[in-house]
Amino acid sequence: ARLKGRTTTVRPADVFLVFDAGTEALAGRFRIEDHGEDGVVVRDLEGDTTVAKAPTMVSSQSPRERAIWFAGYVATPMDQLPRNGITIETVPFARAVEKARTQISASRVQRDADLIELTCSGPSPDLAHGLCEQVLDNYVQLRTDLQRVEATTTLRTDLQRVEATTTAEFLRGQVSSLGEQLVTAEDRLETYKAQRQIVDLEQRASDEVRQFTTLKATRDQVDAERAALDEMIRNIRADGGDSRAYRNIAAFPTFLTNPAVTQVLATLSDLETQRSVLALRRSDQNAEVVALDDRIADLEQQLLTVATSYQAAQTARIRSMDQNLFSLGARLAVIPGQQVASARLEREVTQLQDLHTTLQTRLREAEVAEAVNLPSIRVVDSASLPLDPSSPNIKLNLALGIVLGLAYGLALAFYREFRDSTIHGSEEIERSTGLPVLIMVPRVKKAGGVLPIPELSLRLADADTVQNDVSVPTPKFTHSVFGKSKNGKNGDGRKEFRFTKDRQVALESFRSLATDLRIAARHWGGEGRVIAITSPGRGEGKTFTSCNLALVQAAQGARTLVIDADMHAQGVSEFFKLSPDKPGLTDLLADRGEINGIWRAQLEGEGSELWVMPSGNGSLYSGSLLETKKFEHLLARARHQFDLTVIDTPPINLIADATTVAAVADAVVVVVRGGKTDRTALDMAMARLERCGGNVIGAVLNDVHLPDYYLGGRYTHRWKAIAGEKGPAVVSLTER
């Protein structure tokens, strides 16, 4: 409690006669004020509400009777309250316990001595002393309560022990008596089974029924066989000795496997055969015939004797089986009665066993209760509601997450860097090949021209003159990658084109490349130059570079020719939106025209012309045309007619045509795509160019993610394609 107007913190005992706060008391700031005749009022300062009222205190009442009850607190102020009242600042019970634990230290004075040293700390000597006194008083009170409870519990335990002893003695007698009865019942069951030789009645009954059934089936089979044999013997005796009847004995199923019968039958057949042969030459009264008849009669009598003996044996066997069947039937008739008696005895034994086991369990429980002296138990303090969660530890988890995330990110970055063999920067190209990087082309969101693609018309070229091709009609459509309207659909045919930032930077890159090539051309001598554009593999931007270089060069006032030497992809035709089946380079080299199929656009500015030669109607073997003299003559004429000739070649690592073009071109530029071109593929391409003697002047790094400062500046470019007198389109640029 803190007195109003004073800064000294005092104990509740200094300002209250009685003060008590339970574990469920509310935390907050309360003020106790004396309002005179209205009594004592307790206000909640945080909610600015009145939480309790009490009449004016009467000194004749005890301090407990004059106590004020509010928010889980019981407080009796001094007889005279301060004029401004008393302000009470309380914290939750759990917070108070935590704070008290930090201010109290208890330890043994000596290890073997029952002496505890208590140390308390506080903001003032009085508070520290009061804290130790309060802890000591509470400990003594708790110890006294525990001793009282222990005495009561000891008495109750003694009574329970006497009861447990009596119960244990009774259960011991019952267990002993039941044990004797169980032994007697088990002996009676064992004697009964031994006298009647009972092992397993159900299994025995099953076995004897199966044995009876098998024996009965065998007896019926033997009886049927004996009946058939009886019938055969009666037929023999009735026929008076017919030889065929005796043959039936040998054919009887049982005798077929008898060796003696088989031997007699074979001898009988031989004798009958001999008699038949002898009867052809002798009469029946012949001595030899009569002798054979006697022998045959003896053998037939032997067969009859065998049959009669077997018949007697079968009769005796049937008689024995009947006796066995009678014995089995008698045993089967006794089994049900034995099962009933045995089950009754087994049930008696089982009941005694269950009762004996139950009593033994109760006896053990009584013996444990008799022997164990259970300690007294008392709940000293109930659990309080926690104020802060023990888990999760947000700060620790956040720190671990950051550390593990950084570690995983670094590991992943090192792994990708180690596994990534592609080229990403100009330094890698220069370090790997020794070539200078002429330009870096930024990543363009939509592939196409960095300038509007002009409208092209089909023309014929003969030496330095240009004539209209009346045999090939001018296309009725125009091409622009930035405008969807056709000629005549938009009034005067004007189309507008706006730069994006990435296209603006790409345009400046190609202007820089065109400037570098013009400067280099001054050192080469001659009027025209032939530049071959190639790349290690597909999809690296060589066609994009070739067409945009020619487009920018033509827009800067140069007569420029683009030749599509990639007969497999025909990317130039696709870039300028030309039909792939139009005549072109292959038709010219195959003697199917004189530079036929060249498309031309007249641009604004003197000498500004763009010429496009598609690959033409090629075949599987069209690549060999690049190795002919005609191709070299074509390039020689191009040097005189055009300021710059750009040849789009196939990927040099995939198709051999690129090495043929590189060998006859004035210079070669290798296009490398950032993040895609592999270092090994670039080294292979440079090795092939070196073997063919190509003059590689530098590399173009395409599809590079440039920093934002490359794209800075607030510029707007507006391009217009305007129909003019010199050609299908005149391209102009205005800048704001």
Side-chain angles (χ1 to χ4, degrees):
R2 180 173 297 170
L3 295 178
K4 186 67 177 179
R6 294 171 57 185
T7 59
T8 303
T9 301
V10 297
R11 296 180 301 169
D14 296 336
V15 293
F16 291 105
L17 298 175
V18 175
F19 186 85
D20 189 12
T23 58
E24 303 298 329
L26 300 179
R29 297 177 68 247
F30 305 94
R31 180 180 298 168
I32 303 176
E33 300 174 346
D34 188 359
H35 287 194
E37 296 180 356
D38 295 335
V40 179
V41 177
V42 181
R43 296 180 62 249
D44 183 1
L45 297 181
E46 295 181 354
D48 196 14
T49 58
T50 300
V51 296
K53 290 184 178 181
T56 303
M57 299 180 183
V58 180
S59 59
S60 61
Q61 295 177 335
S62 65
R64 177 64 63 175
E65 292 175 347
R66 289 183 289 155
I68 305 172
W69 301 76
F70 64 95
Y73 299 96
V74 179
T76 303
M78 297 293 185
D79 295 338
Q80 184 68 33
L81 287 174
R83 185 179 58 181
N84 294 328
I86 300 174
T87 301
I88 303 174
E89 296 181 2
T90 60
V91 296
F93 177 75
R95 296 292 188 198
V97 172
E98 291 180 359
K99 185 176 181 181
R101 285 179 176 176
T102 61
Q103 297 175 344
I104 300 173
S105 174
S107 61
R108 284 180 178 271
V109 176
Q110 292 181 2
R111 182 175 180 181
D112 298 331
D114 293 336
L115 189 62
I116 298 176
E117 181 181 359
L118 186 65
T119 304
C120 301
S121 61
S124 66
D126 292 339
L127 290 177
H129 177 266
L131 180 60
C132 277
E133 291 291 334
Q134 191 67 35
V135 171
L136 179 61
D137 293 342
N138 289 339
Y139 177 77
V140 172
Q141 183 64 37
L142 176 62
R143 183 65 179 172
T144 303
D145 294 342
L146 290 176
Q147 288 176 349
R148 186 183 302 111
V149 172
E150 184 178 359
T152 304
T153 305
T154 302
L155 178 60
R156 186 182 301 111
T157 302
D158 292 340
L159 294 176
Q160 292 175 351
R161 185 181 296 109
V162 172
E163 182 180 358
T165 302
T166 304
T167 303
E169 290 296 333
F170 172 76
L171 290 175
R172 288 190 188 97
Q174 294 295 320
V175 168
S176 177
S177 176
L178 280 176
E180 294 176 358
Q181 295 178 19
L182 178 60
V183 172
T184 302
E186 290 176 345
D187 292 341
R188 188 163 52 249
L189 176 61
E190 186 67 25
T191 302
Y192 179 80
K193 289 184 176 181
Q195 290 175 352
R196 290 162 179 76
Q197 297 181 354
I198 298 173
V199 179
D200 189 349
L201 289 177
E202 293 183 358
Q203 182 65 32
R204 174 185 168 188
S206 177
D207 294 341
E208 291 190 355
V209 168
R210 183 168 56 254
Q211 184 179 358
F212 182 85
T213 304
T214 304
L215 185 59
K216 184 67 170 60
T218 305
R219 192 263 181 203
D220 293 340
Q221 182 180 359
V222 172
D223 189 36
E225 185 179 10
R226 187 193 64 174
L229 188 59
D230 290 345
E231 182 67 22
M232 185 183 302
I233 293 173
R234 282 197 300 270
N235 291 335
I236 292 174
R237 292 174 178 172
D239 293 340
D242 188 4
S243 298
R244 288 177 296 179
Y246 290 103
R247 299 296 190 279
N248 292 335
I249 294 176
F252 195 74
T254 304
F255 298 149
L256 287 176
T257 58
N258 192 329
V261 175
T262 304
Q263 182 64 34
V264 172
L265 183 61
T267 305
L268 183 60
S269 298
D270 291 340
L271 292 176
E272 287 180 347
T273 302
Q274 294 177 12
R275 186 188 183 287
S276 298
V277 174
L278 190 60
L280 295 177
R281 296 180 287 109
R282 301 285 190 275
S283 63
D284 293 339
Q285 290 76 20
N286 186 270
E288 295 181 1
V289 174
V290 172
L292 290 175
D293 289 338
D294 293 340
R295 291 186 62 187
I296 291 173
D298 291 339
L299 292 176
E300 289 177 348
Q301 190 62 34
Q302 291 180 12
L303 289 176
L304 180 60
T305 302
V306 171
T308 304
S309 300
Y310 185 72
Q311 179 188 17
Q314 292 294 82
T315 301
R317 185 181 177 188
I318 291 173
R319 190 180 301 110
S320 175
M321 289 182 180
D322 290 339
Q323 293 177 356
N324 292 335
L325 288 174
F326 178 78
S327 177
L328 286 174
R331 290 202 301 270
L332 287 173
V334 176
I335 288 177
Q338 293 178 347
Q339 286 180 330
V340 172
S342 178
R344 184 175 62 252
L345 294 174
E346 289 178 352
R347 183 166 58 253
E348 182 182 359
V349 172
T350 302
Q351 291 175 351
L352 290 174
Q353 286 178 343
D354 294 341
L355 184 57
H356 186 265
T357 302
T358 302
L359 290 178
Q360 282 185 329
T361 302
R362 296 292 183 269
L363 176 59
R364 293 191 186 96
E365 294 175 355
E367 289 175 345
V368 170
E370 180 184 12
V372 175
N373 183 14
L374 297 177
S376 60
I377 299 175
R378 180 190 177 195
V379 178
V380 177
D381 194 4
S382 300
S384 60
L385 186 67
L387 300 178
D388 298 321
S390 60
S391 64
N393 192 334
I394 298 178
K395 295 181 179 179
L396 178 61
N397 292 346
L398 183 60
L400 289 176
I402 294 175
V403 172
L404 293 178
L406 290 175
Y408 177 77
L410 289 175
L412 183 61
F414 281 120
Y415 174 77
R416 293 190 62 181
E417 182 67 21
F418 177 75
R419 297 288 298 176
D420 188 9
S421 61
T422 58
I423 293 176
H424 295 276
S426 58
E427 299 83 359
E428 298 180 39
I429 299 176
E430 295 175 354
R431 185 170 57 251
S432 177
T433 63
L435 294 176
V437 177
L438 302 177
I439 59 170
M440 291 190 298
V441 181
R443 182 172 300 170
V444 180
K445 295 180 180 178
K446 185 177 180 181
V450 297
L451 289 175
I453 298 178
E455 300 173 356
L456 303 174
S457 59
L458 190 61
R459 297 298 179 96
L460 290 176
D462 185 10
D464 294 334
T465 63
V466 177
Q467 301 175 351
N468 290 332
D469 183 8
V470 296
S471 61
V472 181
T474 302
K476 298 181 180 179
F477 58 89
T478 58
H479 303 277
S480 174
V481 294
F482 303 103
K484 294 185 178 179
S485 59
K486 309 299 181 181
N487 266 351
K489 302 288 185 180
N490 223 10
D492 57 357
R494 297 174 184 265
K495 301 179 182 64
E496 294 187 356
F497 167 73
R498 284 186 177 274
F499 274 117
T500 58
K501 289 185 177 181
D502 54 352
R503 291 187 183 277
Q504 177 183 351
V505 177
L507 172 60
E508 296 302 328
S509 298
F510 284 113
R511 283 179 174 175
S512 176
L513 179 60
T515 302
D516 291 344
L517 293 177
R518 284 198 303 271
I519 294 174
R522 299 174 184 173
H523 302 283
W524 293 337
E527 298 179 354
R529 292 295 173 264
V530 177
I531 306 297
I533 308 295
T534 188
S535 64
R538 290 199 178 278
E540 295 175 342
K542 61 177 184 57
T543 302
F544 174 79
T545 303
S546 303
C547 296
N548 280 299
L549 173 61
L551 193 61
V552 171
Q553 186 80 337
Q556 291 181 346
R559 261 178 119 241
T560 308
L561 170 64
V562 182
I563 299 177
D564 189 358
D566 191 353
M567 303 171 187
H568 299 270
Q570 297 185 349
V572 175
S573 299
E574 182 179 355
F575 184 90
F576 289 103
K577 300 295 190 269
L578 300 177
S579 177
D581 57 354
K582 296 299 181 181
L585 176 62
T586 56
D587 301 279
L588 173 64
L589 299 180
D591 294 329
R592 292 196 292 265
E594 183 66 25
I595 318 187
N596 252 337
I598 298 183
W599 295 78
R600 173 180 176 272
Q602 180 72 39
L603 307 180
E604 184 178 5
E606 184 177 356
S608 298
E609 293 181 355
L610 176 63
W611 295 74
V612 179
M613 178 182 291
S615 61
N617 300 309
S619 64
L620 183 62
Y621 304 101
S622 297
S624 60
L625 297 174
L626 300 176
E627 302 177 3
T628 61
K629 292 295 183 179
K630 279 184 169 291
F631 183 65
E632 296 182 7
H633 295 161
L634 172 63
L635 296 184
R637 293 177 57 184
R639 289 185 179 93
H640 295 288
Q641 294 184 14
F642 300 99
D643 298 325
L644 179 65
T645 300
V646 181
I647 306 176
D648 181 31
T649 67
I652 192 168
N653 289 342
L654 302 179
I655 301 174
D657 298 349
T659 57
T660 303
V661 178
V664 297
D666 296 335
V668 179
V669 176
V670 180
V671 179
V672 177
R673 184 173 181 178
K676 181 176 181 181
T677 303
D678 191 82
R679 297 187 185 93
T680 304
L682 180 59
D683 294 340
M684 184 185 298
M686 295 304 301
R688 298 193 67 175
L689 289 172
E690 183 178 359
R691 287 196 299 269
C692 72
N695 180 24
V696 183
I697 62 173
V700 172
L701 182 57
N702 185 33
D703 197 16
V704 181
H705 183 70
L706 297 178
D708 293 338
Y709 57 80
Y710 278 92
L711 305 177
R714 301 179 56 86
Y715 297 98
T716 302
H717 299 268
R718 184 181 300 276
W719 284 83
K720 297 181 180 179
I722 307 172
E725 298 178 356
K726 296 183 179 181
V730 177
V731 180
S732 63
L733 171 66
T734 60
E735 183 175 312
R736 298 188 298 180

